[in-house]
Amino acid sequence: MIDGYDIQPHDIPDGYQDVVDAIGMEAALKLVETMGGGPLYVPTKKDICRGARDRAIRAEFNGRNHRELATKHNLSLTWIRTIVGPSGRRRTGVDTIDRQLQLF
């Protein structure tokens, strides 16, 4: 129900029925009330899982198992080294440039 109107599934515009099917009518109407008319980007599963994946990698890291973790998590050795690096956080290219400039 929105503004006292009993919204039915056939009231949902074409192309949005899959959202109602995925999350249910009540949640879809709440989404409409919260975000309706505005830009909405839905992140990928990969984006949502990245923080949990990185925490798992750091927890599984024993100081020597880079290759094992790369295979298990389908990542390159470079990414594993970056994730488990001294700061425990991924570094951006800007951070790398900043560190390189400090060498000179």
Side-chain angles (χ1 to χ4, degrees):
M1 185 161 298
I2 296 179
D3 293 339
Y5 298 108
D6 183 25
I7 308 300
Q8 298 296 311
H10 62 269
D11 295 323
I12 304 299
D14 292 340
Y16 295 95
Q17 191 60 47
D18 57 337
V19 173
V20 174
D21 293 343
I23 66 174
M25 182 62 104
E26 186 176 335
L29 294 178
K30 185 170 184 172
L31 182 64
V32 167
E33 288 186 301
T34 304
M35 300 296 298
L40 174 65
Y41 170 75
V42 178
T44 65
K45 287 192 301 185
K46 184 177 178 180
D47 291 337
I48 293 294
C49 294
R50 185 173 290 125
R53 179 204 67 198
D54 291 356
R55 284 190 304 277
I57 289 169
R58 286 190 292 273
E60 297 166 16
F61 182 59
N62 67 14
R64 301 176 311 280
N65 60 340
H66 295 86
R67 188 169 304 282
E68 175 188 325
L69 292 172
T71 300
K72 178 179 179 181
H73 295 280
N74 196 28
L75 295 170
S76 69
L77 285 171
T78 301
W79 270 116
I80 296 297
R81 286 186 183 104
T82 300
I83 292 167
V84 299
S87 70
R89 302 177 78 185
R90 277 189 283 155
R91 293 182 287 272
T92 65
V94 173
D95 295 326
T96 301
I97 291 169
D98 288 345
R99 282 185 276 115
Q100 289 173 347
L101 292 175
Q102 291 172 5
L103 294 174
F104 299 102

